[in-house]
Amino acid sequence: MAHCHELGLKIDIPENGRKIVLAGNPNVGKSVFFNALTGLYVDVSNYPGTTLEISHGRYGKDAVIDTPGVYGISSFNDEERIARDVILAADVVVNVVDAVHLERDLFLTQQIIDTGVPVVMALNMVDEAARQGMEIDVKLLSELLGIPVVPTIAVQKEGLEELKKAIDRAKPGNISPELQSRLTRMATRVASQGEALLILEGDPVVAERHGLKPGPHREEIYLARRERVNYIVSKVIREISQGATFSTRLGRWMLRPVTGVPILAVTLYLMYKIIGVFVAGGVVGFTEETLMQGYYEPAIRGLVTKFMAEDSTLGQILIGEFGLLTMTVTYVLGLLLPLVVGFYLILSTLEDSGYLPRIAALVDRVLTAVGLNGRAVIPMILGFGCVTLATIVTRLLGSERERRIAIFLLALAIPCSAQLGVIAGMLAGLGAPYIALYVLVIFTVLVIVGTLLNYVLPGKSSDLLIDLPPLRLPRINNVLKKTGTKSFQFLQEATPIFALGALLISTLQVTGILEILQNLLAPLTVGWLNLPKESATAFIMGIVRRDFGAAGLTELSLDPMQTLVALITITLFVPCIAAMLVLFKERGKQEAPFIWIGSWIVAFLVGGTVAQLAKTYPNHAVTAVALSFTVLTVLTVLVIKNLKTRLALKANMAKEG
Amino acid sequence: MKLSQVKKGQVVKIARIPNEQVRSQAIRFGIGEGSIVICEEIIPAGPVILRKNRQEIAVGRGLAEEITIQAVS
Ligand SMILES: Nc1nc2c(ncn2[C@@H]2O[C@H](COP(=O)(O)OP(=O)(O)OP(=O)(O)O)[C@@H](O)[C@H]2O)c(=O)[nH]1
Ligand SMILES: [Mg+2]
């Protein structure tokens, strides 16, 4: 936990400034308040677990800290450990509470109050509570808890001014009566009431810090607290009506397979239509060909050739085939940026709607087969935006084992927005059978690798336990802001790496090494993958970034089957440099290189298999590939299942014998 | 009866959650042992969706097989 303590030091707080901590259950609006108080932007979305890292900013002379949402503070998972330490070190806690889910949220409120820290409550989402026919007695709530309570609608900034004023009135609330004597006894040994509480509740980490044994009474304390909270809720809430609104019904439909699967299919189809056809075809056609290659490139060439010859070494590096000023700029701005913007528009809309947790419940069954649970669908879908980001989001998974599986699958088979955009655009030109085949191959690879990992890795994955937020109409404002932030980050991150990659390729070309490499790799590219030897350039570019590699493929003239092979191989190819950096950070020095090399092997193995099958059955190439991969997947799944049953039997026999 | 055998629309009482960590988490959610919940939806072979007041919670199949319930209505 050294990390969290360092974190406390890192935030510099001016003299007599306070540490104001925003705390609350997941998905209640903490980050909206953080943005409003500090003027910064951190992600806001409608699913539990958006914030996974601490953010901090300034509000006047105070520091404001945004925390990951938790249902209680203890050591159950990473977010809780992080939130716990930040809350324990707070001067003031602003407890953000979802008025619609008061019963759930007040558990944390009471726990925070029991730590003895000064608290003020933002009773948020009162608009939704009113719409659902709930009336909350704010004054009574404040009296029962012993802290100021301010009703708010964070997204409309309603109640924000009142909340700011109330921060100065924050005070320690009414501690659960039955805890008082225990806390007093503990106080002789542990100075801070908050830490004393957590030790009583059996938190192993905090207990160890004080050299004490964690207390055995967690459940007793929890149950008493739950009872107190239920009592308070029964006093302050008055229900006026409880009709099922349209959004509740729609939410139900999304879950039920008969309607949920078609809804999911339509959503994915729309995404493909928008990204693959509209953006990749129409918009990029305009930005890449008309704007960049039509106007920008001739202009910059004209400018540069005033100073040097185009075929001089520097000329080639600047404005040649892989030129820093030509290709890099065209790819980044003309080709990839529109795709990235399009993607984030859709992803942000999905994130804001509350659909993601429902997809998680719907596909839970499928994911348990590969050792994950439904929650993993959230990082997987976000992976289509940016794998780097999604790798961090896997923190919301329940166990180390699940993270390991999810991260490997992400790094292996989930193409990021820029890459997927290029792929979707190229596939759209090939027609439906090839699109279906691409999806099938990538999907079967996911299933086979996931099943194998699930079998090989020791331990057991956790089961799904997730709360479903209400469906909401996405807020245009937030969607645009998020898209803007994310796209800007893409430019910031991708441009230097791209430039570096272009420089590398140009250098290789100018020195003639590229040609040698192409010939060297020919057995692999020409012999095994059945591609022209120039495709080696795309793969070398792909080592830098996969989207860069995919973009490189657009330059080659390939027949449909070759295009498919190239796309499959580049999809499964190594994660980009940025993703590798995060992988090293999140997974360490042993696992990260393993993932990198593993991707190489799988990519060429799968791509080559497809190419060889197509070569062997030239007249029925698509059918042959589809059939082989389906059979292979079914076989793998069956064999593993069989092995597992046998292992279980053996274990049972050993127990009995 | 186990939670995995619940029927859609049934109101049940959570009787026993064997896993300690899940039990604590359930108390926080407000669906701890002794609480009354309604089964809103069952995804075939997949999670059971429970509702308590306005809170909807998806419980994975494996977990549902471990949780004991009593029928209330
Ligand atoms: N209707 C309504 N929606 C709100 C209100 N406040 C926040 N939201 C929405 O609630 C969702 C969650 O907001 P966030 O700020 O991401 O919540 P958070 O507490 O930071 O969530 P985590 O980071 O997951 O813990 C978003 O979709 C917001 O637009 C409110 O007062 N009324
Ligand atoms: Mg947040």
Side-chain angles (χ1 to χ4, degrees):
Chain A
M1 280 298 85
H3 167 74
C4 297
H5 283 288
E6 271 165 35
L7 191 136
L9 298 174
K10 223 170 47 195
I11 305 170
D12 62 317
I13 302 161
E15 244 179 278
N16 55 41
R18 295 164 299 180
K19 231 192 275 179
I20 303 175
V21 172
L22 288 158
N25 282 27
N27 210 33
V28 295
K30 296 177 296 298
S31 296
V32 180
F33 277 111
F34 178 80
N35 294 344
L37 287 173
T38 61
L40 301 171
Y41 181 82
V42 300
D43 280 357
V44 168
S45 3
N46 189 12
Y47 64 83
T50 308
T51 305
L52 294 166
E53 279 180 322
I54 306 282
S55 305
H56 58 91
R58 273 294 178 72
Y59 165 61
K61 61 181 169 48
D62 300 324
V64 182
I65 306 171
D66 189 19
T67 61
V70 290
Y71 299 103
I73 42 175
S74 181
S75 301
F76 286 3
N77 53 38
D78 281 344
E79 292 98 81
E80 273 184 29
R81 280 185 279 267
I82 294 172
R84 176 197 65 206
D85 287 339
V86 178
I87 291 171
L88 287 180
D91 294 314
V92 178
V93 170
V94 176
N95 176 214
V96 184
V97 162
D98 176 352
V100 181
H101 298 139
L102 211 54
E103 192 174 333
R104 179 196 72 190
D105 290 30
L106 284 189
F107 185 91
L108 176 68
T109 307
Q110 186 62 51
Q111 196 182 21
I112 295 175
I113 288 176
D114 291 342
T115 67
V117 70
V119 190
V120 51
M121 180 192 291
L123 183 64
N124 197 26
M125 309 225 183
V126 288
D127 55 333
E128 287 198 345
R131 214 175 306 135
Q132 299 208 15
M134 301 169 67
E135 228 172 53
I136 299 171
D137 187 338
V138 177
K139 207 166 141 263
L140 185 61
L141 181 62
S142 162
E143 249 164 53
L144 288 172
L145 292 171
I147 55 171
V149 175
V150 184
T152 59
I153 306 171
V155 285
Q156 292 165 19
K157 296 213 159 54
E158 216 158 286
L160 188 65
E161 288 311 312
E162 289 83 347
L163 181 68
K164 285 179 181 170
K165 280 185 215 126
I167 291 178
D168 297 324
R169 288 188 285 118
K171 58 174 191 208
N174 302 334
I175 291 171
S176 312
E178 61 287 341
L179 261 176
Q180 194 62 68
S181 59
R182 282 196 174 146
L183 280 172
T184 322
R185 244 176 294 142
M186 200 67 179
T188 54
R189 290 198 275 178
V190 180
S192 128
Q193 182 178 333
E195 306 214 332
L197 175 76
L198 283 167
I199 296 173
L200 284 174
E201 288 183 2
D203 187 304
V205 184
V206 180
E208 204 191 299
R209 272 184 216 157
H210 291 269
L212 292 172
K213 274 238 283 284
H217 302 296
R218 172 171 39 182
E219 203 154 335
E220 206 180 304
I221 298 174
Y222 270 28
L223 283 170
R225 185 178 289 140
R226 171 48 63 200
E227 211 164 289
R228 178 174 156 77
V229 166
N230 286 356
Y231 169 78
I232 296 177
V233 172
S234 70
K235 287 287 168 197
V236 300
I237 289 193
R238 216 162 60 95
E239 307 265 345
I240 305 173
S241 70
Q242 191 171 8
T245 56
F246 175 70
S247 74
T248 357
R249 257 178 293 151
L250 181 61
R252 223 36 69 59
W253 290 334
M254 287 171 168
L255 284 171
R256 215 170 284 164
V258 219
T259 40
V261 173
I263 293 178
L264 185 59
V266 169
T267 311
L268 292 177
Y269 180 71
L270 282 178
M271 278 177 79
Y272 162 75
K273 270 287 182 203
I274 296 176
I275 298 292
V277 179
F278 175 68
V279 180
V283 177
V284 168
F286 173 74
T287 51
E288 188 184 15
E289 280 155 33
T290 316
L291 277 186
M292 301 307 289
Q293 287 166 354
Y295 294 100
Y296 168 77
E297 286 195 15
I300 194 81
R301 276 207 188 93
L303 192 72
V304 173
T305 40
K306 279 199 189 127
F307 302 97
M308 63 190 77
E310 196 174 337
D311 50 10
S312 65
T313 307
L314 191 60
Q316 283 217 17
I317 286 176
L318 288 182
I319 55 171
E321 196 184 343
F322 310 105
L324 273 181
L325 296 176
T326 46
M327 185 195 73
T328 308
V329 180
T330 303
Y331 275 4
V332 172
L333 295 181
L335 176 64
L336 300 178
L337 186 63
L339 293 170
V340 170
V341 171
F343 239 98
Y344 278 119
L345 276 176
I346 295 181
L347 275 187
S348 312
T349 310
L350 278 183
E351 282 177 22
D352 244 24
S353 67
Y355 187 23
L356 295 184
R358 289 179 170 77
I359 301 183
L362 184 66
V363 302
D364 180 59
R365 183 62 248 283
V366 184
L367 286 175
T368 50
V370 296
L372 296 171
N373 73 44
R375 281 200 102 173
V377 94
I378 295 175
M380 291 289 178
I381 290 183
L382 298 189
F384 287 113
C386 172
V387 175
T388 318
L389 181 99
T391 306
I392 297 172
V393 175
T394 56
R395 287 189 199 159
L396 60 71
L397 300 180
S399 67
E400 206 39 35
R401 181 177 198 269
E402 286 156 76
R403 288 199 68 194
R404 196 166 277 166
I405 298 178
I407 286 179
F408 189 75
L409 294 182
L410 269 173
L412 180 69
I414 305 286
C416 67
S417 55
Q419 190 195 5
L420 191 62
V422 179
I423 292 174
M426 287 175 76
L427 277 176
L430 298 183
Y434 286 96
I435 299 177
L437 195 56
Y438 173 84
V439 175
L440 179 85
V441 171
I442 300 295
F443 181 76
T444 51
V445 169
L446 271 176
V447 173
I448 292 175
V449 174
T451 311
L452 290 176
L453 278 177
N454 185 28
Y455 178 68
V456 176
L457 290 177
K460 192 173 168 289
S461 294
S462 63
D463 279 301
L464 184 74
L465 186 63
I466 189 177
D467 65 326
L468 304 173
L471 287 181
R472 300 198 178 99
L473 223 49
R475 287 179 305 125
I476 305 281
N477 236 334
N478 186 40
V479 169
L480 292 181
K481 188 122 189 207
K482 203 189 258 176
T483 307
T485 323
K486 292 275 161 68
S487 308
F488 182 70
Q489 278 170 5
F490 164 80
L491 283 184
Q492 244 180 348
E493 192 189 291
T495 314
I497 299 184
F498 252 66
L500 204 74
L503 197 65
L504 176 81
I505 301 276
S506 295
T507 317
L508 291 180
Q509 192 194 27
V510 173
T511 51
I513 300 178
L514 191 62
E515 178 95 38
I516 302 175
L517 276 178
Q518 282 178 355
N519 290 333
L520 223 69
L521 290 173
L524 203 57
T525 48
V526 181
W528 175 237
L529 293 181
N530 226 354
L531 296 173
K533 70 170 190 185
E534 288 77 26
S535 62
T537 317
F539 292 117
I540 297 172
M541 285 155 83
I543 296 178
V544 178
R545 278 183 69 102
R546 284 195 289 196
D547 47 350
F548 195 30
L553 291 175
T554 55
E555 308 292 316
L556 302 171
S557 62
L558 303 169
D559 69 32
M561 198 32 109
Q562 285 180 319
T563 312
L564 184 78
V565 169
L567 287 180
I568 288 173
T569 316
I570 203 81
T571 305
L572 299 174
F573 204 52
V574 293
C576 69
I577 291 180
M580 279 314 293
L581 291 178
V582 173
L583 276 176
F584 267 104
K585 209 175 108 209
E586 300 273 320
R587 305 292 346 157
K589 286 197 198 70
Q590 276 174 7
E591 215 170 309
F594 175 79
I595 294 176
W596 198 74
I597 294 168
S599 315
W600 269 96
I601 299 174
V602 177
F604 282 97
L605 197 66
V606 175
T609 310
V610 174
Q612 295 304 325
L613 279 169
K615 200 166 144 192
T616 321
Y617 304 98
N619 298 327
H620 309 280
V622 173
T623 328
V625 174
L627 223 67
S628 317
F629 275 86
T630 314
V631 170
L632 193 64
T633 312
V634 173
L635 273 181
T636 315
V637 172
L638 286 181
V639 167
I640 296 282
K641 205 167 170 189
N642 194 331
L643 280 175
K644 260 190 195 160
T645 334
R646 264 201 232 164
L647 267 183
L649 267 180
K650 233 193 225 160
N652 267 348
M653 296 225 300
K655 230 190 270 165
E656 277 158 24
Chain B
M1 189 165 80
K2 297 292 181 205
L3 181 58
S4 50
Q5 297 159 309
V6 74
K7 290 197 190 63
K8 188 171 154 180
Q10 208 176 4
V11 179
V12 298
K13 185 164 145 187
I14 306 283
R16 172 116 196 93
I17 306 175
N19 180 319
E20 195 203 333
Q21 187 146 338
V22 177
R23 194 160 65 229
S24 294
Q25 189 71 339
I27 300 175
R28 293 161 160 193
F29 274 135
I31 56 161
E33 293 175 351
S35 1
I36 310 271
V37 296
I38 176 165
C39 167
E40 277 293 332
E41 195 64 64
I42 298 165
I43 300 175
V48 178
I49 316 289
L50 298 178
R51 183 170 65 80
K52 170 128 194 254
N53 296 328
R54 290 183 171 79
Q55 175 75 57
E56 286 185 317
I57 295 165
V59 182
R61 176 64 43 165
L63 195 56
E65 277 163 6
E66 288 170 15
I67 298 177
T68 315
I69 52 164
Q70 282 160 12
V72 170
S73 67

